[in-house]
Short mmCIF file of all heavy atoms in Angstrom, two decimals:
data_model
loop_
_atom_site.label_atom_id
_atom_site.label_comp_id
_atom_site.label_asym_id
_atom_site.label_seq_id
_atom_site.Cartn_x
_atom_site.Cartn_y
_atom_site.Cartn_z
N ALA A 1 2.81 -9.29 -0.51
CA ALA A 1 2.62 -9.03 0.94
C ALA A 1 1.17 -9.30 1.29
O ALA A 1 0.24 -8.68 0.78
CB ALA A 1 2.96 -7.56 1.25
N VAL A 2 0.95 -10.23 2.20
CA VAL A 2 -0.41 -10.67 2.56
C VAL A 2 -0.57 -10.56 4.10
O VAL A 2 0.09 -11.29 4.84
CB VAL A 2 -0.70 -12.09 2.10
CG1 VAL A 2 -2.14 -12.48 2.45
CG2 VAL A 2 -0.43 -12.24 0.62
N SER A 3 -1.43 -9.67 4.54
CA SER A 3 -1.59 -9.41 5.95
C SER A 3 -2.65 -10.34 6.60
O SER A 3 -2.61 -10.59 7.81
CB SER A 3 -2.04 -7.98 6.20
OG SER A 3 -3.30 -7.74 5.69
N GLY A 4 -3.58 -10.78 5.77
CA GLY A 4 -4.73 -11.55 6.27
C GLY A 4 -6.00 -10.75 6.22
O GLY A 4 -7.08 -11.28 6.45
N GLY A 5 -5.92 -9.45 5.94
CA GLY A 5 -7.07 -8.58 5.80
C GLY A 5 -7.73 -8.82 4.44
O GLY A 5 -7.17 -9.48 3.57
N VAL A 6 -8.91 -8.20 4.26
CA VAL A 6 -9.66 -8.49 3.05
C VAL A 6 -8.92 -8.05 1.80
O VAL A 6 -9.00 -8.72 0.75
CB VAL A 6 -11.08 -7.83 3.17
CG1 VAL A 6 -10.97 -6.31 3.22
CG2 VAL A 6 -11.92 -8.26 1.99
N ASP A 7 -8.22 -6.92 1.81
CA ASP A 7 -7.55 -6.41 0.64
C ASP A 7 -6.49 -7.39 0.11
O ASP A 7 -6.50 -7.77 -1.09
CB ASP A 7 -6.87 -5.05 0.92
CG ASP A 7 -7.83 -4.07 1.57
OD1 ASP A 7 -9.03 -4.11 1.27
OD2 ASP A 7 -7.36 -3.20 2.34
N SER A 8 -5.62 -7.79 0.98
CA SER A 8 -4.54 -8.67 0.52
C SER A 8 -5.00 -10.09 0.26
O SER A 8 -4.43 -10.81 -0.59
CB SER A 8 -3.40 -8.67 1.55
OG SER A 8 -3.78 -9.13 2.81
N MET A 9 -6.08 -10.56 0.96
CA MET A 9 -6.58 -11.89 0.69
C MET A 9 -7.27 -11.93 -0.68
O MET A 9 -7.17 -12.94 -1.41
CB MET A 9 -7.54 -12.30 1.77
CG MET A 9 -6.88 -12.50 3.15
SD MET A 9 -5.55 -13.71 3.19
CE MET A 9 -6.49 -15.22 3.17
N VAL A 10 -7.92 -10.86 -1.07
CA VAL A 10 -8.52 -10.78 -2.41
C VAL A 10 -7.40 -10.72 -3.46
O VAL A 10 -7.45 -11.43 -4.49
CB VAL A 10 -9.44 -9.57 -2.52
CG1 VAL A 10 -9.75 -9.23 -3.99
CG2 VAL A 10 -10.71 -9.79 -1.78
N LEU A 11 -6.40 -9.92 -3.21
CA LEU A 11 -5.29 -9.82 -4.17
C LEU A 11 -4.61 -11.18 -4.33
O LEU A 11 -4.32 -11.59 -5.49
CB LEU A 11 -4.23 -8.81 -3.65
CG LEU A 11 -2.99 -8.64 -4.49
CD1 LEU A 11 -3.35 -8.10 -5.87
CD2 LEU A 11 -2.00 -7.71 -3.77
N LEU A 12 -4.39 -11.89 -3.27
CA LEU A 12 -3.79 -13.20 -3.31
C LEU A 12 -4.63 -14.15 -4.15
O LEU A 12 -4.11 -14.92 -4.99
CB LEU A 12 -3.58 -13.77 -1.91
CG LEU A 12 -3.00 -15.21 -1.82
CD1 LEU A 12 -1.63 -15.28 -2.50
CD2 LEU A 12 -2.92 -15.64 -0.37
N ASP A 13 -5.91 -14.15 -3.95
CA ASP A 13 -6.84 -15.02 -4.69
C ASP A 13 -6.73 -14.75 -6.18
O ASP A 13 -6.71 -15.66 -7.00
CB ASP A 13 -8.25 -14.82 -4.21
CG ASP A 13 -9.24 -15.78 -4.87
OD1 ASP A 13 -9.30 -16.93 -4.43
OD2 ASP A 13 -9.94 -15.34 -5.81
N ILE A 14 -6.68 -13.48 -6.58
CA ILE A 14 -6.58 -13.12 -7.98
C ILE A 14 -5.26 -13.53 -8.59
O ILE A 14 -5.20 -14.14 -9.65
CB ILE A 14 -6.83 -11.62 -8.15
CG1 ILE A 14 -8.27 -11.22 -7.76
CG2 ILE A 14 -6.60 -11.18 -9.62
CD1 ILE A 14 -8.51 -9.74 -7.68
N LEU A 15 -4.16 -13.22 -7.89
CA LEU A 15 -2.84 -13.49 -8.41
C LEU A 15 -2.52 -14.97 -8.47
O LEU A 15 -1.78 -15.43 -9.33
CB LEU A 15 -1.80 -12.76 -7.57
CG LEU A 15 -1.81 -11.22 -7.62
CD1 LEU A 15 -0.75 -10.66 -6.71
CD2 LEU A 15 -1.62 -10.73 -9.04
N ALA A 16 -3.11 -15.75 -7.55
CA ALA A 16 -2.82 -17.17 -7.49
C ALA A 16 -3.29 -17.88 -8.75
O ALA A 16 -2.76 -18.95 -9.11
CB ALA A 16 -3.49 -17.81 -6.25
N SER A 17 -4.27 -17.30 -9.42
CA SER A 17 -4.80 -17.95 -10.63
C SER A 17 -4.33 -17.25 -11.93
O SER A 17 -4.75 -17.62 -13.00
CB SER A 17 -6.37 -17.87 -10.61
OG SER A 17 -6.82 -16.56 -10.54
N GLN A 18 -3.42 -16.31 -11.78
CA GLN A 18 -2.95 -15.56 -12.95
C GLN A 18 -1.83 -16.31 -13.63
O GLN A 18 -0.82 -16.66 -13.04
CB GLN A 18 -2.45 -14.19 -12.56
CG GLN A 18 -2.02 -13.34 -13.76
CD GLN A 18 -2.04 -11.86 -13.41
OE1 GLN A 18 -2.81 -11.42 -12.57
NE2 GLN A 18 -1.21 -11.09 -14.11
N LEU A 19 -2.02 -16.60 -14.91
CA LEU A 19 -1.03 -17.36 -15.67
C LEU A 19 0.26 -16.54 -15.81
O LEU A 19 0.24 -15.35 -16.05
CB LEU A 19 -1.56 -17.68 -17.06
CG LEU A 19 -2.79 -18.64 -17.07
CD1 LEU A 19 -3.27 -18.80 -18.55
CD2 LEU A 19 -2.43 -19.98 -16.51
N GLY A 20 1.38 -17.23 -15.68
CA GLY A 20 2.65 -16.56 -15.88
C GLY A 20 3.22 -15.83 -14.68
O GLY A 20 4.34 -15.36 -14.72
N ALA A 21 2.46 -15.79 -13.56
CA ALA A 21 2.96 -15.18 -12.35
C ALA A 21 3.31 -16.22 -11.35
O ALA A 21 2.51 -17.04 -10.94
CB ALA A 21 1.86 -14.22 -11.79
N LYS A 22 4.58 -16.19 -10.92
CA LYS A 22 5.05 -17.06 -9.85
C LYS A 22 5.03 -16.27 -8.53
O LYS A 22 5.73 -15.26 -8.44
CB LYS A 22 6.47 -17.56 -10.17
CG LYS A 22 6.52 -18.42 -11.45
CD LYS A 22 7.92 -18.89 -11.70
CE LYS A 22 8.00 -19.77 -12.94
NZ LYS A 22 9.39 -20.22 -13.24
N ILE A 23 4.26 -16.76 -7.58
CA ILE A 23 3.99 -16.00 -6.38
C ILE A 23 4.67 -16.60 -5.15
O ILE A 23 4.56 -17.79 -4.92
CB ILE A 23 2.47 -15.93 -6.15
CG1 ILE A 23 1.73 -15.34 -7.33
CG2 ILE A 23 2.16 -15.15 -4.87
CD1 ILE A 23 2.18 -13.95 -7.73
N ILE A 24 5.33 -15.72 -4.38
CA ILE A 24 5.83 -16.09 -3.05
C ILE A 24 5.04 -15.24 -2.05
O ILE A 24 5.07 -14.01 -2.11
CB ILE A 24 7.33 -15.80 -2.88
CG1 ILE A 24 8.14 -16.60 -3.87
CG2 ILE A 24 7.74 -16.15 -1.44
CD1 ILE A 24 8.54 -15.86 -5.14
N VAL A 25 4.32 -15.87 -1.18
CA VAL A 25 3.52 -15.13 -0.19
C VAL A 25 4.43 -14.74 0.98
O VAL A 25 5.25 -15.52 1.45
CB VAL A 25 2.36 -16.01 0.33
CG1 VAL A 25 1.60 -15.29 1.44
CG2 VAL A 25 1.45 -16.43 -0.80
N ALA A 26 4.31 -13.50 1.40
CA ALA A 26 5.11 -12.99 2.52
C ALA A 26 4.18 -12.36 3.54
O ALA A 26 3.41 -11.45 3.23
CB ALA A 26 6.13 -11.97 2.01
N HIS A 27 4.24 -12.88 4.78
CA HIS A 27 3.41 -12.38 5.87
C HIS A 27 4.31 -11.92 6.99
O HIS A 27 5.20 -12.65 7.40
CB HIS A 27 2.43 -13.45 6.36
CG HIS A 27 1.64 -13.01 7.58
ND1 HIS A 27 0.52 -12.20 7.49
CD2 HIS A 27 1.83 -13.26 8.87
CE1 HIS A 27 0.06 -11.99 8.71
NE2 HIS A 27 0.84 -12.62 9.56
N PHE A 28 4.03 -10.72 7.53
CA PHE A 28 4.85 -10.22 8.66
C PHE A 28 3.94 -9.97 9.87
O PHE A 28 2.97 -9.24 9.80
CB PHE A 28 5.52 -8.92 8.25
CG PHE A 28 6.60 -8.51 9.21
CD1 PHE A 28 7.86 -9.13 9.20
CD2 PHE A 28 6.38 -7.53 10.17
CE1 PHE A 28 8.85 -8.79 10.08
CE2 PHE A 28 7.36 -7.17 11.09
CZ PHE A 28 8.61 -7.80 11.03
N ASN A 29 4.34 -10.62 10.96
CA ASN A 29 3.67 -10.44 12.22
C ASN A 29 4.45 -9.40 13.06
O ASN A 29 5.55 -9.69 13.50
CB ASN A 29 3.59 -11.78 13.01
CG ASN A 29 2.80 -11.71 14.30
OD1 ASN A 29 2.67 -10.65 14.88
ND2 ASN A 29 2.31 -12.87 14.75
N HIS A 30 3.87 -8.21 13.22
CA HIS A 30 4.62 -7.12 13.88
C HIS A 30 4.74 -7.31 15.36
O HIS A 30 5.53 -6.57 16.02
CB HIS A 30 3.93 -5.79 13.55
CG HIS A 30 3.83 -5.44 12.12
ND1 HIS A 30 2.77 -5.91 11.35
CD2 HIS A 30 4.65 -4.72 11.30
CE1 HIS A 30 2.97 -5.43 10.08
NE2 HIS A 30 4.06 -4.73 10.06
N GLY A 31 3.95 -8.16 15.97
CA GLY A 31 3.95 -8.29 17.40
C GLY A 31 3.29 -7.07 18.10
O GLY A 31 3.72 -6.66 19.17
#
């Protein structure tokens, strides 16, 4: 789950380079 805030953007950066982890990014716009 990636909102665009600093927490989830950092998490995405770390996980994107992690070996063995296949990542699907999911973003929800609540309106």
Side-chain angles (χ1 to χ4, degrees):
V2 183
S3 67
V6 63
D7 307 330
S8 60
M9 295 301 285
V10 164
L11 178 63
L12 177 59
D13 185 78
I14 295 170
L15 293 178
S17 60
Q18 184 158 332
L19 295 176
K22 296 180 180 179
I23 302 302
I24 300 97
V25 177
H27 174 79
F28 193 78
N29 184 335
H30 301 87

